Amino acid sequence: MNECYYDKRMDFFYNKTNTDTVDEWTGPKLIVVLCFGTFFCLFIFISNSLVIAAVVKNKRFHFPFYYLLANLAAADFFAGIAYVFLMFNTGPVSKTLTVNRWFLRQGLLDTSLTASLVNLLVIAVERHMSIMRMKIHSNLTKKRVTFLIISIWAIAIFMGAVPTLGWNCLCDITACSSLAPIYSRSYLVFWSVLNLVVFFIMVVVYIRIYMYVQRKTNVLSSHTSGSISRRRTPVKLMKTVMTLLGAFVVCWTPGLVVLLLDGLNCTYCGIQNVKRWFLLLALMNSVMNPIIYSYKDDEMWITMKRMICCSSEDKSQDRRSSRVPSTVLCRSTDTSGQYIEDGIIQGTICGKGDLGDKGNS
């Protein structure tokens, strides 16, 4: 029977697996990393809090898509918490951690990743339901959306706790990975492959939606004399979510590939030299998302700007900005699920037809 090492500190496992804890990341280099990390984490906290507050405050955002968007911002906010905890428990400090504290450090990161990933998957399903029925928003009720959000976090917490619940190498040192000295290599393979497969599924779903909408637009464009912008309205519908998904895949895929290589016990891949930079790249995803929200949706940006300026005036809420207005602005008087075809033919969707940039940011 294998001996278990629950009472050991992390230096025991780092030494057993010959894992480099980057003792050279001290002095000026460590200070620079902490300064940049602190700045980005503060930005994550503030910007994602503004996104959540904007969805709560502005009744024009009270639709399933925006509730899920706010939950994605909450996942990014949680990721900021995970990164703060990581900053003060990494480098030379890693060897001094207890097993439980190290599990907590990694569990927070895994939970934040899973919450974002599952949330994007749910958004993909919601967009698929809406577009295939040629509607701007799905018919999900608030109760169903609430259930979905609760389910997302239940799955995320469970996945973050799986190694703590037993899938680790505390009783089998030979199975320990290099990047995560108390995680089993088999778990890293499972974790990375699962996430990469979900990435692939979401990309396929959005490509299918995009092709369907583009084909529908080409068919309908011959029946309308509207502007090119109006004819391309359904195509623009997917731009925000596709941008969010693209940013997520780009930021997280390198780190997942490194974890997969470690799980496969690739000793000549040089993963120790790149792991920290890929982690910083993953951090950038939580920084980019609120920027994408505000850039793609003018209504979101106006609401956030008002909150920043502490303005209580609502008289300009319906005023059109220099950019194309939000889809929800036009949806505020339409609760029956207006069809995209009608919007294209009649030119009633958002006046200028910029549905994609504004209705789904």
Side-chain angles (χ1 to χ4, degrees):
M1 184 176 180
N2 294 332
E3 182 180 358
C4 297
Y5 302 94
Y6 295 102
D7 58 340
K8 299 291 185 179
R9 288 192 173 271
M10 288 305 301
D11 58 342
F12 173 81
F13 299 97
Y14 280 114
N15 293 333
K16 283 286 185 179
T17 56
N18 296 318
T19 302
D20 177 22
T21 56
V22 203
D23 290 329
E24 71 272 14
W25 277 52
T26 57
K29 184 180 290 188
L30 181 61
I31 293 175
V32 170
V33 171
L34 289 177
C35 288
F36 274 98
T38 301
F39 171 77
F40 285 128
C41 286
L42 286 175
F43 180 83
I44 289 172
F45 292 143
I46 296 173
S47 58
N48 285 287
S49 296
L50 286 173
V51 172
I52 297 171
V55 173
V56 173
K57 181 179 180 180
N58 195 331
K59 292 183 179 180
R60 292 167 181 166
F61 295 146
H62 290 185
F63 293 94
F65 174 82
Y66 283 98
Y67 294 141
L68 294 172
L69 200 68
N71 192 52
L72 184 60
D76 287 328
F77 186 95
F78 185 85
I81 296 175
Y83 291 129
V84 169
F85 191 84
L86 175 66
M87 280 195 303
F88 293 99
N89 292 276
T90 191
V93 180
S94 298
K95 287 187 175 182
T96 66
L97 299 177
T98 62
V99 168
N100 290 333
R101 192 172 182 84
W102 196 94
F103 271 136
L104 176 61
R105 189 189 81 173
Q106 298 304 122
L108 290 174
L109 291 173
D110 294 346
T111 299
S112 65
L113 168 61
T114 306
S116 296
L117 181 62
V118 178
N119 203 93
L120 283 170
L121 182 61
V122 172
I123 289 177
V125 174
E126 191 271 344
R127 287 293 85 199
H128 188 275
M129 291 170 55
S130 302
I131 301 303
M132 294 305 168
R133 296 176 182 176
M134 299 306 294
K135 292 184 178 181
I136 299 174
H137 292 287
S138 65
N139 293 326
L140 290 174
T141 63
K142 288 186 178 181
K143 288 184 178 180
R144 290 181 179 178
V145 174
T146 301
F147 173 77
L148 286 173
I149 291 175
I150 294 174
S151 299
I152 288 171
W153 284 103
I155 294 172
I157 293 172
F158 173 76
M159 291 302 296
V162 165
T164 310
L165 297 176
W167 200 344
N168 54 61
C169 62
L170 294 178
C171 297
D172 186 8
I173 296 297
T174 59
C176 290
S177 70
S178 174
L179 293 179
I182 55 178
Y183 275 13
S184 296
R185 288 193 298 272
S186 59
Y187 173 74
L188 289 188
V189 172
F190 162 78
W191 170 256
S192 55
V193 169
L194 176 64
N195 284 281
L196 291 172
V197 168
V198 175
F199 284 1
F200 177 77
I201 292 173
M202 288 193 295
V203 170
V204 170
V205 169
Y206 279 117
I207 290 176
R208 181 174 183 269
I209 295 174
Y210 184 86
M211 293 177 63
Y212 174 82
V213 172
Q214 191 172 43
R215 184 172 65 252
K216 199 71 173 179
T217 301
N218 292 335
V219 172
L220 294 174
S221 61
S222 60
H223 302 289
T224 177
S225 59
S227 64
I228 295 177
S229 176
R230 183 177 301 167
R231 293 177 184 180
R232 294 185 179 274
T233 291
V235 177
K236 294 180 180 180
L237 178 64
M238 300 308 302
K239 284 187 176 180
T240 300
V241 269
M242 292 182 72
T243 303
L244 290 172
L245 177 61
F248 188 82
V249 171
V250 169
C251 290
W252 280 100
T253 298
L256 291 174
V257 171
V258 166
L259 289 178
L260 177 60
L261 293 174
D262 186 30
L264 296 175
N265 200 24
C266 180
T267 57
Y268 303 101
C269 298
I271 56 179
Q272 292 290 343
N273 300 325
V274 297
K275 64 177 183 180
R276 293 158 202 88
W277 304 113
F278 288 165
L279 182 61
L280 291 175
L281 181 61
L283 168 65
M284 291 304 298
N285 179 242
S286 298
V287 175
M288 293 167 58
N289 282 346
I291 297 175
I292 295 173
Y293 306 149
S294 59
Y295 177 77
K296 288 291 186 178
D297 194 323
D298 192 55
E299 183 74 13
M300 177 73 74
W301 167 244
I302 291 174
T303 304
M304 293 170 63
K305 187 168 64 174
R306 282 207 184 99
M307 290 188 295
I308 293 174
C309 298
C310 298
S311 173
S312 60
E313 294 182 1
D314 294 324
K315 62 182 180 180
S316 60
Q317 188 78 355
D318 298 324
R319 184 183 304 167
R320 296 182 183 272
S321 67
S322 58
R323 291 187 289 169
V324 185
S326 172
T327 298
V328 182
L329 184 61
C330 299
R331 284 278 300 161
S332 60
T333 58
D334 180 10
T335 57
S336 60
Q338 182 178 0
Y339 289 95
I340 292 179
E341 295 101 321
D342 296 337
I344 299 174
I345 297 173
Q346 299 173 12
T348 58
I349 296 182
C350 286
K352 295 185 179 180
D354 195 347
L355 177 61
D357 285 353
K358 305 303 170 188
N360 285 283
S361 49

